[in-house]
Amino acid sequence: MTSLLVSGAVLAGTAAGACEITLRSADTHPAGYPTVEAVKWMGEQVKEKSGGRICIEVFPASELGEEKDAIEQTQFGVIDMVRASFGPFNNLVPETQVVSLPYIFRSSEHMHKVMDGPIGEEIAKGFEAHDLVVLGYYDGGARSFYNKEKPITKIEDLAGMKFRVMQSDVFVDMMSALGANATPMPYGEVYSSIETGVIDGAENNPPSYDTSGHFEVAKYYTLDEHLIMPEVLALSKITWDKLSPEDQALLQEVGKASVPVMRELWAAKVKESEAKVEAAGAQIVRDIDKAPFIAAMEPVYAKYVTTPELQDLVARIKATE
């Protein structure tokens, strides 16, 4: 029995019991998170538009495995859908490396235009080569710097400071180019490391800055938005090939429609988190000149954008208005 076709007997008494097709969708985020809620919304739409034939069952909080495992299971058709960040694909789909570069996007709106247009379609073909059909690109938020020492208003303020970063060569090189020191460490160690002075700060999006409690020990948050990350909602190619053309079209239509729903939920969450941390005494620096930060990335781009194809992609992203 595949996860695509589940008998009514197996699902008797459940919400999915009457469905001919039940799609199992994986997410690492908890219930209530914008990505999870957007896929649930998608499930409601699919069920309604298919006359109750197709259901989507969402498994949040890594119930079907951590992100890397969930992606692999989706490629093999064990799981039908996955919402995932771009990081795990960097070695599989070269184009995803480019959209993971610091300051490649000027704003969230710029990222949305790029990913919703021809460049997003081009990147989707790279996913298809790895047995995943892209249904839409969600918003992973904008990562910015926060620290315990001082407001960062210009690039010189970063000189010599120690920041926790993800275990990523690009992030380490980004910090070096900005004149700061990168300290890769597990996320769970960040709070105590800032509190005890092992590091000066870290970087993440506003909801993470809020929910982690990091604003309690690092009250200066600067919206430099060095990384504005798209995320992918993808269907297993094995599942896709079992669907009728009509059902494929329906999933594409509703997947695309779920994107603005997710982004609206995310924008609301960002505002809520910013208001919460400011009320608790955090200081948000909103108005900075990003140009020197962007100019400092030249050696980083030279190191990672090494082929004419990737250089062309960078140029087209920057030219997107």
Side-chain angles (χ1 to χ4, degrees), residues 242-259:
K242 293 176 182 175
L243 296 169
S244 69
E246 293 77 18
D247 288 346
Q248 288 176 346
L250 173 60
L251 281 167
Q252 280 185 315
E253 173 199 330
V254 178
K256 186 176 181 180
S258 77
V259 171

Side-chain angles (χ1 to χ4, degrees), residues 96-128:
T96 62
Q97 292 180 9
V98 170
V99 297
S100 304
L101 285 168
Y103 302 106
I104 188 70
F105 297 116
R106 294 185 293 275
S107 63
S108 294
E109 292 73 28
H110 179 220
M111 184 271 280
H112 297 162
K113 282 182 182 174
V114 169
M115 299 310 296
D116 294 345
I119 291 172
E121 291 175 17
E122 187 180 312
I123 294 172
K125 289 175 185 170
F127 281 93
E128 199 157 337

